[in-house]
């Protein structure tokens, strides 16, 4: 059996994903055959993985990033259960990359795709847990070390009896556990102490220590608190990771983004290009816009303000898990009027996946929202229908004549009718047309296309021309792949420089110390 470690957190967005990736990159540098794992992820940011049977499947975007940190292609087993929220009350269940299609009580859509709710979770949980445990067992048989990421907090004691992601996973696989906390949120020592103190004795016996994330300032001022935490818990703090403004690529969730995406470099020319991305309620794969934000002179903002849409040079309607519902929200908030005014002024507007579908004349949806036919924004001469079968695939083609483009697709919606002479935005490698390009209004179902450097540069050049930003010049040498690799190397550097890696390695090899004290009050023993 291989070594392993669970990275848990005091909260969501505490730093579990980036710490897992950093540990993976550090171990890879040591020559360790390491893989990432997250039993269950809840996110609409997903990546497409080609499975052993050649079909496409989905995993959480963070696990694809962690795989890259390990020098591995993404694997469906790295995230065996993916929950994709379609509303505040239900999520689509993706099991080993494929949307679960068996009925789940009353929680199914007309496609027969299972949704998970508070009502039916207990019925689905045994199957989800079995799948996750089996995937982890396979990975531990193949790799020297598996670094597991938890979800939310292990101290969600109301959910402990059904947990298979945090301490439920640690108990099942005898994983030593470290807990990371984000000091930016405040109350870091109380949250670390309380997380341990709310666990039952068997769970506490696996929690070996702590990591503090996003620290700014004089470490000497923090040290007395670290020392006291060690005394009252009997557990060490393995290190303090500094806040670093360069860590923003591949966010686990769109809510982790600041309003201004990334850290814009000064323009190469005399003018900036301002991009407004509408932060839809069920925004998905917002990572599409990260590639734009790596370009000098490009400011990318996520916004829900009509005034910021009106002021932008380029407006983007991104992907969404709920096209019809988010289109209704767009209209209620006045953002639809701002988008229409922007397009009416001849300035560039881009729709990606669900955002592309919103630009249509009409949407016929008996699958996702079950609203039947609703009016689109009528900015492109297309109509969209929904297929019960989800398209999940990697795509390759060209744009602007011969520029190579690669991307991926995750959608139920498809173009059911279009004007015969509609110019495409992209062309598949087999010659099929994809998307649309009518004046300054453009759309595509492809995610990830802007990671193709040549296409991104040409697109931004055209967008600047349409927006009248004649002083904007695209940088000729920006590489998105290199930017992502620099981020992974930075994560590995931070782990090596700021954590007690010798102690972490002992944990991975030998498990938690046998004499960890119990911290009262503790929760009732979990099953």
């Amino acid at each position: 059996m291989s070594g392993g470690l669970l990275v848990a957190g005091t909260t969501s967005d505490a730093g579990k994903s980036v710490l897992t990736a950093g540990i993976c990159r550090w171990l890879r540098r040591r020559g360790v055959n390491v893989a990432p794992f997250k039993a269950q992820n809840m996110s609409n940011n997903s990546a497409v993985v080609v499975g052993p049977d050649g079909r496409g499947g989905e995993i959480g975007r963070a696990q694809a990033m962690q795989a890259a940190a390990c020098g591995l292609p993404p694997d469906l087993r790295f995230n065996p259960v993916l929950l994709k929220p379609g509303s505040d009350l239900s999520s689509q269940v993706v099991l080993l990359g494929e949307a679960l299609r068996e009925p789940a009580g009353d929680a199914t859509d007309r496609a027969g795709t299972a949704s998970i709710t508070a009502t039916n979770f207990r019925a689905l949980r045994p199957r989800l847990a079995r799948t996750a445990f089996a995937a982890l067992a396979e990975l531990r048989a193949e790799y020297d070390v598996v670094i597991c990421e938890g979800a939310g907090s292990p101290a969600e004691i109301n959910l402990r009896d059904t947990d298979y992601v945090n301490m439920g996973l640690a108990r099942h696989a005898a994983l030593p556990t470290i807990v990371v906390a984000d000091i930016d949120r405040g109350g870091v020592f109380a949250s670390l102490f309380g997380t341990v103190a709310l666990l039952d004795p068997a769970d506490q016996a696996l929690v070996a220590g702590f990591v503090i994330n996003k620290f700014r300032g004089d470490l000497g001022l923090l040290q007395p608190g670290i020392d006291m935490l060690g005394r009252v818990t009997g557990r060490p703090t393995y290190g303090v990771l500094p806040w670093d403004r360069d860590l923003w690529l591949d966010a686990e969730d769109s809510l982790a983004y600041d309003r201004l995406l990334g850290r814009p470099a000064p323009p190469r020319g005399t003018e900036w290009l301002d991009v407004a991305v509408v932060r839809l309620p069920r925004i998905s794969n917002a990572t599409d816009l990260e590639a734009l934000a790596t370009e000098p002179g490009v400011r990318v903002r996520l916004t829900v303000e009509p005034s910021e849409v009106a002021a932008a040079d380029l407006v983007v309607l991104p992907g969404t898990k709920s096209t019809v519902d988010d289109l209704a929200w767009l209209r209620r908030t006045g953002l639809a009027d701002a988008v229409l005014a922007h397009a009416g002024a001849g300035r560039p507007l881009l729709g990606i996946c669900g955002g592309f579908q919103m630009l249509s004349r009409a949407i016929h949806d008996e699958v996702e929202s079950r609203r039947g036919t609703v009016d689109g924004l009528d900015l492109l001469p297309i109509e969209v229908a929904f297929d019960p079968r989800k398209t999940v695939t990697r795509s390759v083609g060209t744009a602007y004549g011969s520029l190579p483009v690669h991307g991926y697709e995750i959608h139920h919606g498809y173009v059911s009718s279009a004007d015969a002479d509609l110019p495409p935005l992209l062309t598949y490698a087999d010659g099929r047309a994809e998307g649309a390009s009518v004046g300054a209004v453009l759309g595509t179902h492809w995610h990830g296309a802007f990671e193709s450097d040549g296409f991104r540069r040409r697109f931004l050049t055209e967008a600047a021309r349409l927006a009248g930003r004649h002083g904007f010049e695209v940088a000729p040498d920006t590489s998105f792949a290199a930017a992502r690799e620099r981020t992974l190397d930075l994560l590995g550097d931070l782990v090596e420089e700021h954590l007690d890696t010798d102690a972490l390695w002992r944990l991975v090899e030998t498990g938690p110390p046998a004499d960890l004290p119990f911290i009262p009050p503790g929760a009732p023993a979990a099953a």
Side-chain angles (χ1 to χ4, degrees):
M1 183 68 70
S2 72
L5 180 71
L6 174 67
V7 178
T10 55
T11 61
S12 294
D13 200 33
K16 296 184 293 291
S17 295
V18 292
L19 179 55
T20 298
I23 292 172
C24 286
R25 178 51 62 106
W26 160 63
L27 288 172
R28 183 194 177 203
R29 289 174 175 172
R30 288 179 57 126
V32 176
N33 187 24
V34 59
F37 180 78
K38 184 162 184 168
Q40 174 190 293
N41 200 342
M42 179 175 280
S43 177
N44 279 327
N45 284 345
S46 59
V48 170
V49 179
V50 178
D53 58 1
R55 293 187 298 176
E58 298 177 74
I59 65 171
R61 189 86 188 172
Q63 281 62 65
M65 179 264 287
Q66 291 160 0
C70 298
L72 298 172
D75 186 313
L76 295 175
R77 297 172 300 174
F78 294 165
N79 178 208
V81 181
L82 175 63
L83 305 181
K84 305 191 75 175
S87 73
D88 290 339
L89 300 176
S90 67
S91 298
Q92 184 184 63
V93 182
V94 178
L95 198 62
L96 286 174
E98 186 172 353
L100 186 62
R101 296 184 59 80
E102 290 83 349
D106 294 329
T108 58
D109 57 26
R110 292 187 182 182
T113 300
S115 293
I116 199 164
T117 66
T119 303
N120 71 344
F121 176 70
R122 287 186 179 274
L124 280 173
R125 185 265 179 201
R127 180 177 181 185
L128 304 183
R130 284 195 304 271
T131 302
F133 292 162
L136 177 58
E138 289 182 12
L139 294 173
R140 296 188 80 180
E142 294 178 23
Y143 293 92
D144 299 334
V145 173
V146 179
I147 304 299
C148 304
E149 178 190 342
S153 166
E156 291 164 352
I157 53 179
N158 54 312
L159 304 176
R160 177 60 185 90
D161 63 336
T162 58
D163 170 47
Y164 62 94
V165 186
N166 291 304
M167 301 317 297
L169 180 73
R171 288 267 286 274
H172 173 83
L175 294 170
T177 301
I178 59 174
V179 181
V180 59
D182 178 359
I183 198 170
D184 251 7
R185 296 172 181 264
V188 67
F189 297 118
S191 62
L192 288 168
F193 177 86
T195 295
V196 178
L198 283 174
L199 301 179
D200 72 31
D203 287 351
Q204 286 195 23
L206 295 171
V207 178
F210 313 110
V211 172
I212 294 174
N213 189 30
K214 294 185 183 178
F215 179 70
R216 321 181 206 204
D218 183 353
L219 188 57
L221 295 176
L222 188 67
Q223 192 60 50
I226 293 174
D227 295 340
M228 183 175 292
L229 181 67
R231 289 195 297 271
V232 298
T233 65
R235 291 160 171 84
T237 295
Y238 290 103
V240 178
L241 295 172
W243 179 82
D244 195 301
R245 64 184 303 189
D246 288 325
L247 294 177
W248 59 273
L249 285 178
D250 288 307
E252 171 80 68
D253 194 288
S254 61
L255 294 178
Y257 291 130
D258 292 327
R259 290 183 67 252
L260 182 64
L261 191 58
R263 44 174 305 192
R268 296 294 176 92
T270 58
E271 289 189 286
W272 288 81
L273 188 70
D274 284 310
V275 181
V277 181
V278 178
R279 190 195 283 270
L280 300 168
R282 297 297 167 191
I283 190 171
S284 65
N285 289 75
T287 47
D288 284 332
L289 290 314
E290 291 179 345
L292 296 183
T294 61
E295 287 287 350
V298 179
R299 281 188 294 242
V300 181
R301 288 186 175 86
L302 279 82
T303 183
V304 294
E305 298 297 333
S307 60
E308 293 187 343
V309 170
D313 300 314
L314 166 65
V315 171
V316 180
L317 293 178
T320 168
K321 183 65 179 64
S322 301
T323 300
V324 171
D325 289 342
D326 279 4
L327 177 57
W329 172 86
L330 204 71
R331 288 182 164 124
R332 286 196 308 272
T333 58
L335 283 160
D337 292 336
V339 169
L340 290 169
H342 178 91
R347 287 179 292 169
L349 170 65
L350 172 69
I352 301 174
C353 200
F356 171 41
Q357 295 163 9
M358 292 180 185
L359 302 178
S360 66
R361 291 169 173 157
I363 300 171
H364 311 284
D365 181 12
E366 298 291 350
V367 173
E368 191 175 79
S369 70
R370 293 181 268 183
R371 300 281 180 82
T373 297
V374 300
D375 291 335
L377 295 175
D378 197 17
L379 291 172
L380 288 174
I382 64 173
E383 294 192 7
V384 169
F386 278 65
D387 193 319
R389 297 162 299 180
K390 183 190 285 190
T391 296
V392 182
T393 187
R394 291 184 178 273
S395 302
V396 178
T398 56
Y400 299 111
S402 59
L403 286 175
V405 187
H406 61 83
Y408 59 96
E409 301 178 56
I410 307 171
H411 53 90
H412 285 285
Y414 64 96
V415 175
S416 57
S417 65
D419 284 3
D421 58 350
L422 178 66
L425 178 61
L426 307 171
T427 303
Y428 286 98
D430 62 9
R432 288 177 294 133
E434 159 53 27
S437 176
V438 179
V441 181
L442 310 100
T444 178
H445 273 119
W446 287 23
H447 294 288
F450 290 127
E451 295 181 21
S452 301
D453 296 331
F455 169 67
R456 182 182 66 252
R457 293 171 191 144
R458 178 65 180 273
F459 175 87
L460 289 172
T461 298
E462 290 299 311
R465 180 184 65 80
L466 290 166
R469 293 294 185 187
H470 303 298
F472 173 80
E473 294 180 14
V474 71
D477 54 356
T478 304
S479 167
F480 183 75
R484 176 173 282 157
E485 193 66 16
R486 284 194 299 271
T487 296
L488 296 174
D489 280 336
L490 174 58
L491 289 170
D493 293 343
L494 291 173
V495 167
E496 287 193 35
E497 294 169 13
H498 298 279
L499 299 191
D500 185 346
T501 52
D502 289 339
L504 283 179
W505 181 245
R506 286 194 298 273
L507 273 185
V508 169
E509 279 198 309
T510 64
D515 57 350
L516 291 171
F518 172 72
I519 309 301

